[in-house]
Amino acid sequence: MNAPIRFELSAPYRHAGKPARFQSLWLLVRLCHAARHEDGMVSIQTLRQRFPASRTPRMLVSRAFADFAAWGVTVGWGAPRREPVALLNPDGRSRGPFWLSADACARLDFLVNGHAADRWQLERFLGLEAEPS
């Protein structure tokens, strides 16, 4: 098995001791959440809703995929998900939907203040869940 890839979700966001761009990290956490708890796909509309100040998500997607490559994380796009990422046409990447394989998701470790993040902490980071009462 490949070594885990760790990310700190407390500010300042980091990977391997280096700063991690929030938008890229958010998308990666969202992809992992979708792979673990939903249908596995994250739509371009989800990005537009989370980052409404971006007139077009194309730049955000481009930066995120550059970050993913630097982090050693392979992310796919489009359908069907069974297609190997290496065979996907990059021209359609900015249209999504985006997905993360189960193997890639299994390698990701998300930390909050240096401790393993639980589902609630991940959902809070994503803005999906209110604090428990």
Side-chain angles (χ1 to χ4, degrees), residues 3 30-31 36 49 72 76 78 96 131:
R30 188 65 183 89
L31 287 163
R36 291 176 181 166
Q49 288 173 347
E131 284 194 39

Side-chain angles (χ1 to χ4, degrees), residues 27-42 74-75 81 98-108 110 119 122 126 128:
L27 180 54
L28 185 61
V29 174
R30 188 65 183 89
L31 287 163
C32 196
H33 184 273
R36 291 176 181 166
H37 307 293
E38 299 171 356
D39 69 356
M41 305 291 270
V42 175
T74 301
V75 173
R81 289 186 345 198
F98 310 100
W99 48 268
L100 189 63
S101 73
D103 290 342
C105 187
R107 291 184 60 211
L108 301 178
F110 299 109
R119 182 175 176 175
L122 295 176
L126 294 170
L128 297 176

Side-chain angles (χ1 to χ4, degrees), residues 28 44 59 62 65 68 72 82 109 119:
L28 185 61
I44 198 69
M59 185 60 72
S62 179
F65 273 81
F68 299 157
R82 64 185 170 274
D109 281 342
R119 182 175 176 175

Side-chain angles (χ1 to χ4, degrees), residues 120 129-133:
W120 175 81
E129 186 74 25
E131 284 194 39
S133 47

Side-chain angles (χ1 to χ4, degrees), residues 42-90:
V42 175
S43 71
I44 198 69
Q45 288 79 12
T46 299
L47 280 179
R48 285 187 180 124
Q49 288 173 347
R50 177 58 181 93
F51 301 104
S54 297
R55 284 190 11 233
T56 175
R58 178 180 238 152
M59 185 60 72
L60 187 147
V61 169
S62 179
R63 288 179 181 153
F65 273 81
D67 289 338
F68 299 157
W71 298 337
V73 179
T74 301
V75 173
W77 62 92
R81 289 186 345 198
R82 64 185 170 274
E83 191 75 29
V85 174
L87 299 178
L88 298 176
N89 183 350

